[in-house]
Amino acid sequence: MDDDVANGRQITRHGLYADIRGDPAAPALLFLHGGPGQGCHDFMAIQGDLLSQSVRLIGIDQRGVDRSAPLPVKANGEAGWGLTVADLVGDCDAVRQALGIERWAVAGQSFGGRLALRYAAAYPQYTSAVIFENPVWDLAASARAALPPLAAMLTERGRVAAAEAALAAAERERAADCLREAYLAALSALGEDREAFFVPDPGTRARLAQIRGGREAGGQPDGAAGEEGSRRHHLAIVADVAAAEPVQHLLPGLKVPALLIVGGRDPLTSREQRDAFGSAPRSEVLEVPAAGHFVHADEPLHYASAVAGFVRSAAGDLSGTGTGPLPATGS
């Protein structure tokens, strides 16, 4: 499918919204958002014009999310029809086929890092490289790692009981569902301060608020799932047992170059998950000390430079045949 036809439209039989930028002849990169159900809008607003100087960037809203078509609703009003993590991975390859891409790199942020790993493991013949930005490969490990810093923030704000509950859960609980419940309870107790947990830099939070404000003013395209659809997607995916199963065991079997990007202030990619990445045969790690959970937003130029260079290197395209030079490193 030609980019002029696909861009800004819903593609594949499930109506996935595609935001496509860059030279069609440049190495292709698929971005997978987190959440589940977050959407790719903010990432593309920050990274779209940067990365598209050097790669063909494809951002999608996953099935039933934001600008994609809504999930079908059952007669009882329940949405999802058993939507699974495996469905989301399969959707990625449906996008590749729809766009006529032979091989591409795949990047995933947070929960999207789980999808990126599953895709690279399932479709190595179509994957040139894989990039993980603060991935959550092990829900229990991420939730346990997040509880102490959440407790510290709650204590600073005088919410002592919630802080004590978070610390107790981190020490006591082992099951992923119990740790997730404790993590969500602690986030809820933070109230309006919860975004500071993921995005500690006030300047980044202000930029994101501006991006989202402009988006709200622009409205939704016809046939979009919207916020309610994203919520239904989230509920459907977290109900899938595969959403909580650890996936680090897939790392040693990766057959393509892999890059792990971690923020020095990220609370979710735990030490054991970072250590597990070392089992990937062709692995590189980039730590950005000042960044939080969204490195691409905290340090946009640094992120774009690293990702574009890695994608082009993996594709054997260091000749500068994209639409412009690699962005300079920096923020």
Side-chain angles (χ1 to χ4, degrees), residues 54-285:
S54 305
V55 303
R56 181 190 184 193
L57 179 63
I58 300 104
I60 59 169
D61 289 343
Q62 292 158 27
R63 194 190 305 189
V65 172
D66 199 5
R67 295 162 293 181
S68 289
L71 295 172
V73 179
K74 298 179 183 179
N76 63 2
E78 182 181 344
W81 290 100
L83 181 67
T84 66
V85 170
D87 291 332
L88 301 184
V89 174
D91 285 347
C92 296
D93 208 59
V95 170
R96 182 193 64 79
Q97 294 177 55
L99 297 178
I101 296 172
E102 183 176 352
R103 296 186 80 203
W104 58 2
V106 180
Q109 193 271 336
S110 195
F111 173 79
R114 168 183 292 269
L115 299 180
L117 178 53
R118 284 190 175 275
Y119 181 87
Y123 297 96
Q125 69 273 36
Y126 302 130
T127 309
S128 60
V130 61
I131 299 156
F132 309 108
E133 178 190 356
N134 291 323
V136 176
W137 293 321
D138 186 329
L139 180 61
S142 288
R144 187 180 298 109
L147 286 167
L150 277 169
M153 290 183 67
L154 289 165
T155 299
E156 290 172 359
R157 289 156 177 78
R159 297 159 196 172
V160 178
E164 292 175 346
L167 288 175
E171 295 174 1
R172 179 185 68 246
E173 302 295 352
R174 291 294 177 266
D177 56 348
C178 295
L179 285 163
R180 179 177 179 273
E181 287 179 11
Y183 163 72
L184 293 177
L187 274 181
S188 178
L190 275 179
E192 294 181 357
D193 293 332
R194 62 180 292 165
E195 187 167 37
F197 176 69
F198 302 102
V199 188
D201 182 75
T204 303
R205 295 200 299 273
R207 287 193 296 274
L208 287 169
Q210 185 177 24
I211 288 169
R212 292 163 185 166
R215 164 72 191 284
E216 290 173 3
Q220 285 277 18
D222 293 339
E227 289 186 10
E228 177 60 21
S230 297
R231 186 188 71 84
R232 290 175 173 173
H233 166 101
H234 178 91
L235 293 174
I237 290 300
V238 298
D240 178 16
V241 294
E245 292 174 345
V247 294
Q248 303 97 305
H249 65 279
L250 297 174
L251 289 165
L254 285 178
K255 302 184 184 306
V256 298
L259 173 65
L260 173 63
I261 301 175
V262 290
R265 304 170 73 185
D266 169 64
L268 292 182
T269 304
S270 63
R271 174 51 58 187
E272 58 260 51
Q273 291 177 85
R274 298 185 191 196
D275 291 344
F277 181 69
S279 67
R282 300 160 67 187
S283 59
E284 297 180 26
V285 178

